[in-house]
Amino acid sequence: MSWSIHGNGKTITPGEVVAPDERLHWPQTISIGTQHILAMFGSSILVPTITGFPVTTTLLFTGVATILFLLITRNKVPSYLGSSFALIAPVVATTKAHDMSAALGGIVMTGALLFLVGVVVQKTGTGWIHALMPPVVMGTIVALIGLNLAGATLKPMQDFPATTFLTVIATVLATVLFKGLLGRLSILVGLVVGYLIALAQGQVDFSGLADADWLGLPVFNTPSFHLDTALMFLPAVFVLIAENIGHVRTVGVMTGRDLSAFNGRALMADGAASMMAGFGGGSATTTYAENIGVMAASRVYSTAAYWVAAIAAMALAFMPKVGALIGTIPEGVIGGLGIVLYGMIGIVGARLWIESKVDFGNPINLMTAGTGLIIAIAVTSEITFGQFQLGGIALGTIATLVVFHLMSIAAKLRGNDLSQTSA
C-alpha cells in the first residue's frame, strides 16, 4: 500500500513508464484515476442496463472487485475489474427461466469455479489450460459468445432503426475521428450521441428520474441456486480465464516485468470478486481492456490510480439519481452499442486464431470451429436435456471441446498426424 515517487512526481522521462509500485504526485494520480473511471464507465453500465440488474449496485461491486484484485495480487498488477460481457447471455436466459436471484446464483458459481482454477494455476502454472483450450478452441468459444448475442439486437433494429444505426455510426466514427482518450471512449461517445438522437425523437422516459434521491443505498439482492443453470454459465469461465491471463501478460509486456507468477492470484481475485458481486446483486467482473488503453497512452501503470478509480466508482454507487439517469437509456441506443460490442467479441475470437496461426487446413481445427459456431448461432432459445436447459453458448462450447479432443484422440490412436496443428 505504498508507492515510491516516480522522478519529480510531475513528469515522465521519455522512454520510461510509471511502474505499478510507483506513482506521480496525488493531483496527477487522481487525474489518471478519473480517466480510468471514464474508460470503464460505458461498458460497465451497459451490462446491467442490458440484463436488468441495478446499475448502482454493479458500480459498487466493480469498485469493490478492483480493490479486492489489487489486494490479492499484492498491489503488483494494475487492473480495473468492470462488468463482464461474457455472462450477458446466461444471465438473461436464467432470468427469463427463473428470476434475477437464479442469475446471481450462476454468477456465484462462475466465480467459485474461476477461483478454483486460480488456485490450481498458482500451484501448477497455465500449461494444462493451454492443453485443454488450445487457440482454436479458445478463439471459437470467444467468437461464439459474440455471435450468439447478435440476436438481441434485432428488435431495436426493427423498432428504432434510426436511433440504433445512428448510434452504431457515432460509435465507429468516434473510434477513428478522435485521438487519445476520447478515441478510446468511443462506446461512451456513441452512448451520448445516441441518447441525444433518441431524445430528439421523444424516445427517452424521464418519469423515474425525478423520484430518485441524490443519496441512498444501492439495491442489494441475494442469489438462489438451481442445478439447471450451472452448465449455462460454464462457457463464461473459459472466456474469463482467457481475458485474465491475457491481461496479465499484456501488462507485463508493457511494463517490462514478468508478471506470470501472478496469473493464479489474478484468477483467484477475479473469481472472488464475481462471487462477492453475485452474493450482493452485482454483475460478474473481469479485467478491462479499456483501461489498458489508458495506461498505454499515459504511460502510468501505477496501482494507486486504480485505487482512486475504485473508490470513486463506489461513491457513485450511493447516488440513486445516477442509476435512474442511466436507466433512461433507450432501447435503440442499447441495441446500437450491442451491435458494435457483440461484433467485437466475435472478431476477438477470430483474432486469437490469427495471432496463434491456427491452421484451418487441418480438419480438426476446421470442424472444431465450424461445429461450435453453427450451434451457437442456430440455438437462439434453450434446448432441454432432462433437467438441464442449455442455450447456444453452452451447447456451442461443449461441442467445441468435445469435437476437438475427440478428433485429436482418435487421430492419435490411428497414428494420423492431422492432430498436429500449427498453433
Side-chain angles (χ1 to χ4, degrees):
M1 291 298 298
S2 62
W3 301 268
S4 60
I5 301 297
H6 177 86
N8 62 9
K10 296 181 179 180
T11 59
I12 306 172
T13 305
E16 294 185 358
V17 299
V18 179
D21 56 358
E22 297 179 327
R23 67 171 175 85
L24 299 174
H25 287 165
W26 281 115
Q28 287 86 349
T29 299
I30 291 172
S31 173
I32 297 297
T34 302
Q35 293 183 54
H36 282 302
I37 295 172
L38 292 173
M40 70 85 186
F41 196 79
S43 298
S44 280
I45 66 171
L46 189 58
V47 173
T49 302
I50 292 172
T51 58
F53 280 23
V55 174
T56 52
T57 310
T58 291
L59 276 177
L60 173 65
F61 282 106
T62 65
V64 172
T66 300
I67 289 176
L68 186 62
F69 183 92
L70 294 171
L71 290 174
I72 293 179
T73 58
R74 297 179 177 177
N75 225 23
K76 300 296 184 183
V77 184
S79 178
Y80 195 94
L81 267 62
S83 305
S84 172
F85 281 85
L87 276 78
I88 290 178
V91 164
V92 171
T94 303
T95 302
K96 288 180 179 178
H98 297 283
D99 52 23
M100 181 185 294
S101 68
L104 292 173
I107 291 173
V108 172
M109 289 187 283
T110 301
L113 182 55
L114 185 61
F115 182 88
L116 292 176
V117 170
V119 172
V120 176
V121 168
Q122 191 66 22
K123 297 291 184 181
T124 65
T126 59
W128 65 275
I129 292 178
H130 299 304
L132 176 65
M133 298 181 294
V136 64
V137 172
M138 181 59 70
T140 302
I141 292 174
V142 174
L144 65 83
I145 287 177
L147 296 177
N148 179 266
L149 289 168
T153 64
L154 178 59
K155 190 173 184 298
M157 284 190 280
Q158 293 174 329
D159 296 345
F160 308 100
T163 302
T164 301
F165 291 115
L166 288 175
T167 298
V168 172
I169 291 172
T171 304
V172 298
L173 286 180
T175 306
V176 293
L177 289 178
F178 301 119
K179 295 182 179 179
L181 178 64
L182 202 57
R184 288 187 299 277
L185 298 180
S186 57
I187 295 297
L188 193 57
V189 173
L191 190 156
V192 172
V193 173
Y195 192 97
L196 294 175
I197 292 170
L199 185 63
Q201 299 177 80
Q203 298 171 358
V204 182
D205 181 9
F206 291 108
S207 59
L209 185 60
D211 297 332
D213 296 326
W214 280 105
L215 296 175
L217 290 173
V219 178
F220 295 104
N221 293 285
T222 55
S224 61
F225 300 93
H226 303 266
L227 184 61
D228 63 332
T229 65
L231 286 178
M232 296 176 66
F233 284 83
L234 177 63
V237 176
F238 298 116
V239 180
L240 295 176
I241 291 171
E243 289 177 339
N244 205 295
I245 293 176
H247 181 93
V248 173
R249 182 187 300 120
T250 301
V251 173
V253 170
M254 296 170 79
T255 58
R257 298 187 175 190
D258 182 8
L259 298 177
S260 58
F262 292 94
N263 276 325
R265 285 180 172 272
L267 289 167
M268 286 189 285
D270 201 352
S274 290
M275 288 175 62
M276 187 177 295
F279 275 116
S283 303
T285 60
T286 187
T287 49
Y288 253 30
E290 288 89 339
N291 296 89
I292 287 182
V294 175
M295 292 190 290
S298 65
R299 292 186 293 149
V300 177
Y301 298 86
S302 171
T303 54
Y306 284 100
W307 280 90
V308 171
I311 293 170
M314 292 169 66
L316 286 173
F318 291 90
M319 301 177 64
K321 189 77 76 174
V322 173
L325 178 61
I326 293 170
T328 64
I329 298 174
E331 184 180 351
V333 177
I334 296 172
L337 295 175
I339 291 173
V340 177
L341 288 168
Y342 303 156
M344 288 171 61
I345 294 172
I347 299 304
V348 164
R351 190 180 72 181
L352 287 173
W353 294 333
I354 295 171
E355 291 177 348
S356 300
K357 299 180 180 178
V358 174
D359 179 14
F360 282 108
N362 184 330
I364 296 177
N365 292 336
L366 187 63
M367 292 184 181
T368 294
T371 302
L373 290 176
I374 290 299
I375 290 175
I377 295 170
V379 179
T380 56
S381 59
E382 286 66 41
I383 296 178
T384 301
F385 296 89
Q387 295 183 346
F388 293 95
Q389 288 186 324
L390 302 181
I393 292 178
L395 283 172
T397 298
I398 293 170
T400 300
L401 289 165
V402 169
V403 169
F404 177 82
H405 289 289
L406 186 63
M407 291 185 72
S408 296
I409 292 171
K412 288 179 181 178
L413 290 175
R414 291 286 296 169
N416 194 329
D417 64 0
L418 287 178
S419 62
Q420 300 298 317
T421 70
S422 62

